[in-house]
Structures are given as C-alpha cells and as structure tokens.
Amino acid sequence: ETGVTQSPTHLIKTRGQQVTLRCSSQSGHNTVSWYQQALGQGPQFIFQYYREEENGRGNFPPRFSGLQFPNYSSELNVNALELDDSALYLCASSFPGQNYEQYFGPGTRLTVT
Amino acid sequence: KNEVEQSPQNLTAQEGEFITINCSYSVGISALHWLQQHPGGGIVSLFMLSSGKKKHGRLIATINIQEKHSSLHITASHPRDSAVYICAAYPNYNTDKLIFGTGTRLQVFP
C-alpha cells in the first residue's frame, strides 16, 4: 500500500505566474483535501475533491482551483501568484467510512518572489 | 477567534519529563486528530479519536466531548519527540473539513 505523495517538493515562482501542484492519494482512497500552511500557522482548508467533484471549499479566492482524476490523484492550480501564496501546500487523502481519517502527504513548499 | 485553540504555543522540556499539550474547541465535532509535524513539513497522524482515551507507546491522547477539550501526553520525553504538535477537528457542520489549531512547538533537550 503506497502512501500519499506530492510533487514537486519545492518550487520557486515569480509573482503573477501560475503553478500546478500534484498529489497522489493513498491506494483505495477516493477523497483528496488540500491545505495551505503559512509559516508558523496551522494549515487552512482550501478545498476537497471526492470522486472527481469539488466537495467543499474554504475561504480561498477562485484563482485557487483544482482537479481530481479518475485514478483519484489531484492537482491544485494557483493563478496570478501573490507573495502571500508562499506557503507549504499539503494534501491529504481519505476514504469515506474510515472514520474520516486523513493521511497526509509530505507537502510542497512554494516560494513566490 | 479560532474554532480550535491549543496551548501552550511553545514548550521546552528536559529529556524524561512528562509533557501535556492541550486543545480546546468551540464547535461540535465528530472526531479529532492529533498530528505531528517535523521540520521540513511532513505531517504524521498520531491519533484520531472521538471519545475516551488512546495510547500508543509513550503517547496518550484523551478527549472529553462534553467539555470540548482534548489533551496529548508524552511520557518519558526524548529529544526525538521535538516537533510541532497540531490538533485538528472535524466539525459537525462539515465533517469532510478539518479545522486546525496553530500548533505547539515542543523542544526536548538532552
């Protein structure tokens, strides 16, 4: 059973650019949640995908968008990057019914300059 | 005010000490995670609990749903326990979403 993986590990982008982050869910999990963790803060919920549909969204602007693929892997896209988007982006996978327990990936650290 | 609050924010201890980290929340929840985050970012789930107490090795987690409070205890702390400990709850108003505390940074010195 493979765990949750994310790519890339680190990324540096310039303000105004666009970025795509990727997450592969744990085997058998059909739900992926994305979180943003600014330095020194707890993670904040961005959105969740369940069976390829968005299933809930936190307080993030529309330039944060996502996709989930038939194999349940997921992408987080951020357009028009701002300096405040610099953060650790975490994804977590889960399977409804397993008491909602979420399994986290190692994160992608995004720096916007 | 955050829906999930942790205390203390920072904690230092000598090796061997008993550690307690507290988490309180202001909304109804269905379950609560205790998570460990090491430098570099990766998060590991230590416990998920909805009632009572769970133990794994030197770690013990308790929760009192009526009092909206949970604690994480580390017995015989060790320098390798140094990390950020985060509690995160599944609110009843959206059981698919985790809401996180800001974390407790623990440093254990030899």
Side-chain angles (χ1 to χ4, degrees):
Chain A
E1 185 180 88
T2 55
V4 179
T5 60
Q6 291 186 243
S7 63
T9 308
H10 295 89
L11 199 53
I12 300 174
K13 289 284 191 178
T14 303
R15 193 170 48 183
Q17 285 187 314
Q18 179 265 343
V19 69
T20 298
L21 310 181
R22 295 180 176 83
C23 172
S24 291
S25 59
Q26 183 156 315
S27 176
H29 288 180
N30 59 11
T31 302
V32 173
S33 303
W34 284 93
Y35 300 91
Q36 180 196 65
Q37 186 179 22
L39 199 62
Q41 303 293 316
Q44 298 289 319
F45 175 71
I46 303 174
F47 44 55
Q48 182 185 84
Y49 278 82
Y50 168 64
R51 297 177 71 178
E52 303 179 58
E53 298 283 334
E54 188 177 289
N55 184 46
R57 188 178 183 94
N59 190 25
F60 280 81
R63 57 190 186 83
F64 285 78
S65 63
L67 280 176
Q68 188 177 33
F69 300 99
N71 66 355
Y72 304 128
S73 65
S74 178
E75 286 182 355
L76 164 64
N77 298 290
V78 187
N79 293 322
L81 283 167
E82 300 177 1
L83 296 179
D84 284 349
D85 296 333
S86 296
L88 180 70
Y89 288 86
L90 295 157
C91 78
S93 74
S94 58
F95 189 82
Q98 289 185 353
N99 299 312
Y100 317 110
E101 185 157 12
Q102 297 194 12
Y103 296 80
F104 287 83
T108 293
R109 186 163 298 282
L110 172 65
T111 302
V112 182
T113 61
Chain B
K1 191 177 188 302
N2 288 341
E3 292 171 306
V4 176
E5 298 274 356
Q6 284 184 240
S7 64
Q9 282 189 299
N10 295 284
L11 189 54
T12 57
Q14 290 296 125
E15 184 173 356
E17 285 186 7
F18 181 83
I19 304 290
T20 295
I21 300 171
N22 295 300
C23 176
S24 59
Y25 46 91
S26 57
V27 296
I29 69 168
S30 56
L32 182 141
H33 264 294
W34 277 102
L35 307 164
Q36 182 192 55
Q37 187 171 36
H38 280 282
I43 286 183
V44 173
S45 176
L46 300 173
F47 297 102
M48 195 182 78
L49 64 168
S50 55
S51 66
K53 175 178 167 178
K54 286 190 176 180
K55 184 176 190 293
H56 185 256
R58 296 180 294 105
L59 302 178
I60 303 166
T62 63
I63 190 167
N64 185 318
I65 292 287
Q66 287 75 24
E67 293 187 4
K68 293 186 165 61
H69 182 269
S70 177
S71 293
L72 175 69
H73 305 284
I74 306 174
T75 61
S77 59
H78 190 276
R80 65 173 174 267
D81 298 326
S82 298
V84 176
Y85 293 84
I86 304 172
C87 71
Y90 294 96
N92 286 336
Y93 62 77
N94 183 344
T95 54
D96 296 314
K97 165 186 169 177
L98 269 176
I99 46 176
F100 292 78
T102 53
T104 295
R105 183 174 300 276
L106 171 66
Q107 288 184 289
V108 182
F109 294 98

